Amino acid sequence: MKFLVCISNVPDTTTKITFTPDNKEFNKAGVQFVINPWDEYALTRAIELKEAQGGGTVTVLNVGEADTEPNIRKALAIGADDAIRVNAHPKDAFFVAQQIASIAKDGGYDVILMGKESIDYNGFQVHGMVGELLGVPTVAPAMKLDMSGNTATLEREIEGGKEIVEVNTPFVASCQQPMCEPRIPNMRGIMTARTKPLKVVEPTADAARTEVAAFALPPQKQGVKLIPAENAGELIKLLRNEAKVI
Amino acid sequence: MSVLVVVECDGGEVKKSSLEVASYGSQVAQMLGTTATAVAVGEATEANLAKLGEQGITKVLHDAEPRLKDFVNGAYTKLIAAAAQKEDAKVIVLANSNIGASVGSRLSIRLQASIATNVVELPKTDGGSFTVKRGAFSGKAFADVKLDGDRKIIAVKKNSIEALHEAGKTAQVEAFSAQLTDADFADAPKQVVMQDQAGGILLPEADKVVSGGRGMKGPENWGLIEDLAKALGAATACSKPVSDVDWRPHHEHVGQTGITVSPNLYIACGISGAIQHLAGVNSSKVIVVINKDPEAPFFKAADYGIVGDVFDVLPKLTQAVKELN
């Protein structure tokens, strides 16, 4: 079975977010980039399923410029077999979805996995766009994924519960915890990753439908009002009379 | 031309988040000099749909197909696309829910529309451009996003728009059929499992949340969190380390890689306030932090704070709420 796992390159979760002086771009200076944490669930689960099936391939796909390659190599070190990088700045979700759909179509992948959303753009859109472009079902967000032959059983999170869904390959799923325990690379993986194939291709479509006009940081808090612990009940009065939230 | 609003219903009622979505849609319609039509998904009664008039909705399209009760991606997408065609909708507004994101992303391809999710304010339409403000960087920032093309889809974040209530206004409910076939229900769920709702309040819909961290010392102490939550009518939540060690279920994990919440009141008990946790809660209107460490970073993001032992403070707060009520 052929798995395609889409990963994005995002600022580390501890990053303090700042922007360029014109507020048009994220300020990358001094920032450590990681594999999007949600995508790690997709990657590890694909590797686990491949291992359980005793064959098949896991291909990692990233839409990004050359500076994303260290994290693509990291995905190979975790256990993917090969990688494709679409050499382009990911303009928006539609732009990225078109690249993924084109590669998925040409490569004849059975299962296309990605994280629920990226922690930088938080769009939660690419899964559905890819599914619609390919005309295949999408399951989002998936908390569990098992395969039996060409049939997948997934648990999809819904507000207040979950649905058990069955789909046949090919399909797209966006993944989140508790799907698996994301793996970290071991030394052997890091050594073998250096020689695994990483193909760089040019984008097949150029269209985007949205554009960021400006970024902004949330307004600063006014400062905390402290209430002495022995007088804790006072807080409840303030919440009713001053903040008016209870 | 019109604005189409997708309202999610459950157990006959329109969800609170969809009342906000309807209010958003009717205000966009007013800006564009047109009217807002709703299309209902899930289980809805006609009486409750007619009440969407209070949120400024003129007309509601209702497909009585019983299999629309549960979320089915294929069927919902086709239904909404058919409604959008019928109404010649230029703007489609949905909730930024798992349903809204699943359907909205597919619709954007089918209808060749631009889309923005996680939207927190009404659009700005000066000079022919159409710009919405959305949350980005997991709650650490906002982005003004320009939507291109003559069709736009907007998914509105919960609790960021005040729902309108114009008492007495009713919407006209119109039977509508999207001619759904068995094939459209191919990805219907085999089973739907709802969480045990002990307190009765679902975290994603809650407007008050009481949350616990490692400072609670163990799952056996969660009664203190639950007591306060119950007295306040709040949902319970937890930090990532707590769900990682299985003190609490994963669906209560609030933070950058868990649920992002934006309630009116968020009370953090024994949570230090790591940047990843703050990302999940910092759009809450009022944040209260209870921690015995005065240096806990969470105090910097708080509106009210108590430096003290949670085991001491929580029962006092619960008592004070009961006395107030």
Side-chain angles (χ1 to χ4, degrees):
Chain A
M1 191 159 279
K2 289 180 74 176
F3 293 90
L4 182 66
V5 178
C6 311
I7 63 169
S8 60
N9 194 56
V10 298
D12 180 76
T13 57
T14 57
T15 307
K16 191 170 183 305
I17 303 299
T18 59
F19 301 104
T20 53
D22 64 357
N23 286 322
K24 293 256 187 203
E25 303 265 350
F26 171 65
N27 180 9
K28 290 182 175 183
V31 171
Q32 172 86 20
F33 279 77
V34 295
I35 299 173
N36 178 39
W38 303 97
D39 298 341
E40 291 185 337
Y41 293 97
L43 175 63
T44 296
R45 190 62 189 138
I47 296 166
E48 287 174 356
L49 288 169
K50 184 196 97 165
E51 287 169 356
Q53 290 168 359
T57 54
V58 175
T59 301
V60 166
L61 170 61
N62 169 258
V63 179
E65 287 159 329
D67 58 357
T68 69
E69 288 199 3
N71 280 324
I72 299 177
R73 288 282 171 209
K74 188 182 168 199
L76 292 169
I78 289 168
D81 299 287
D82 61 347
I84 301 168
R85 179 171 68 81
V86 177
N87 186 30
H89 173 68
K91 290 184 200 168
D92 73 351
F94 177 60
F95 177 85
V96 171
Q98 289 172 100
Q99 316 307 329
I100 296 172
S102 157
I103 283 173
K105 203 178 276 172
D106 293 346
Y109 293 92
D110 304 293
V111 179
I112 300 153
L113 301 181
M114 60 193 74
K116 179 194 168 192
E117 62 188 32
S118 66
I119 62 164
D120 53 358
Y121 196 74
N122 306 107
F124 193 17
Q125 299 166 24
V126 174
H127 57 95
M129 291 181 175
V130 171
E132 185 73 16
L133 287 166
L134 295 173
V136 304
T138 45
V139 181
M143 302 189 289
K144 199 172 171 194
L145 164 62
D146 289 308
M147 299 286 305
S148 166
N150 289 325
T151 304
T153 306
L154 301 108
E155 284 184 12
R156 170 169 51 208
E157 183 176 65
I158 52 173
E159 278 79 6
K162 62 188 176 188
E163 294 178 349
I164 318 292
V165 189
E166 266 179 28
V167 291
N168 290 328
T169 58
F171 68 90
V172 179
S174 76
C175 307
Q176 67 169 42
Q177 71 273 48
M179 182 172 277
C180 58
E181 188 59 45
R183 291 185 187 177
I184 52 170
N186 59 29
M187 193 44 81
R188 191 169 156 268
I190 294 167
M191 299 301 285
T192 56
R194 290 182 189 162
T195 54
K196 285 180 177 172
L198 192 172
K199 192 165 78 177
V200 179
V201 299
E202 293 304 313
T204 51
D206 200 38
R209 288 179 179 159
T210 63
E211 188 195 327
V212 173
F215 285 107
L217 294 172
Q220 291 281 329
K221 285 277 179 187
Q222 295 300 310
V224 60
K225 189 180 236 180
L226 288 174
I227 295 106
E230 57 277 10
N231 215 355
E234 191 60 28
L235 170 70
I236 299 301
K237 287 186 194 137
L238 287 169
L239 290 177
R240 165 150 306 178
N241 301 324
E242 188 177 82
K244 299 186 171 39
V245 288
I246 61 172
Chain B
M1 118 166 186
S2 73
V3 171
L4 183 69
V5 166
V6 180
V7 293
E8 296 178 23
C9 307
D10 191 17
E13 304 217 8
V14 179
K15 289 185 189 172
K16 176 178 170 272
S17 51
S18 284
L19 296 179
E20 296 165 7
V21 167
S23 306
Y24 188 103
S26 67
Q27 289 174 80
V28 173
Q30 205 164 34
M31 290 168 76
L32 301 178
T34 180
T35 55
T37 299
V39 57
V41 295
E43 196 176 23
T45 64
E46 284 205 9
N48 282 331
L49 292 178
K51 273 203 282 186
L52 284 164
E54 295 184 7
Q55 282 75 46
I57 300 295
T58 314
K59 181 168 75 176
V60 185
L61 303 177
H62 186 213
D63 188 327
E65 160 66 55
R67 287 177 292 180
L68 287 169
K69 175 178 171 289
D70 291 323
F71 172 51
V72 183
N73 206 341
Y76 278 30
T77 307
K78 188 170 166 184
L79 170 75
I80 298 162
Q85 302 286 11
K86 178 180 182 294
E87 295 296 310
D88 188 23
K90 296 298 182 208
V91 179
I92 301 172
V93 189
L94 330 91
N96 194 57
S97 60
N98 288 343
I99 293 175
S102 293
V103 176
S105 53
R106 290 198 84 107
L107 280 174
S108 74
I109 299 296
R110 201 170 297 185
L111 301 175
Q112 298 185 316
S114 55
I115 175 169
T117 53
N118 215 11
V119 170
V120 296
E121 277 180 10
L122 286 168
K124 292 191 180 72
T125 55
D126 357 307
S129 74
F130 192 100
T131 308
V132 289
K133 185 176 181 179
R134 65 183 300 277
F137 292 96
S138 302
K140 292 179 198 169
F142 293 99
D144 287 332
V145 177
K146 218 172 94 208
L147 296 179
D148 296 339
D150 59 329
R151 268 208 182 123
K152 289 138 189 126
I153 301 176
I154 299 171
V156 180
K157 187 178 175 185
K158 278 166 202 160
N159 218 15
S160 37
I161 298 293
E162 193 91 29
L164 304 172
H165 286 285
E166 296 175 47
K169 283 182 80 177
T170 55
Q172 172 203 344
V173 182
E174 191 178 301
F176 174 69
S177 171
Q179 320 268 311
L180 298 172
T181 63
D182 285 352
D184 300 316
F185 290 91
D187 60 343
K190 300 290 161 208
Q191 198 189 343
V192 180
V193 186
M194 297 313 284
Q195 284 152 22
D196 176 25
Q197 293 171 42
I201 312 277
L202 286 174
L203 181 56
E205 292 271 326
D207 61 3
K208 297 184 216 69
V209 175
V210 183
S211 188
R214 266 183 302 195
M216 294 304 297
K217 297 207 164 74
E220 66 279 8
N221 299 322
W222 238 260
L224 293 172
I225 299 272
E226 283 162 355
D227 288 346
L228 178 59
K230 207 171 164 192
L232 283 169
T236 58
C238 69
S239 65
K240 184 169 191 288
V242 165
S243 71
D244 279 351
V245 295
D246 282 337
W247 289 0
R248 300 296 294 173
H250 143 71
H251 61 75
E252 285 198 357
H253 159 204
V254 163
Q256 186 154 277
T257 53
I259 295 177
T260 304
V261 294
S262 48
N264 292 327
L265 174 63
Y266 185 84
I267 304 183
C269 311
I271 304 177
S272 63
I275 192 165
Q276 296 97 326
H277 185 76
L278 294 182
V281 306
N282 64 7
S283 51
S284 307
K285 296 212 167 67
V286 173
I287 294 177
V288 174
V289 171
I290 305 160
N291 204 300
K292 66 178 178 197
D293 175 10
E295 300 298 317
F298 217 151
F299 283 115
K300 290 203 176 70
D303 300 283
Y304 297 96
I306 297 179
V307 179
D309 187 347
V310 284
F311 298 98
D312 209 41
V313 172
L314 277 172
K316 283 187 190 160
L317 295 181
T318 306
Q319 188 56 36
V321 174
K322 284 182 180 160
E323 282 167 13
L324 201 64
N325 293 338

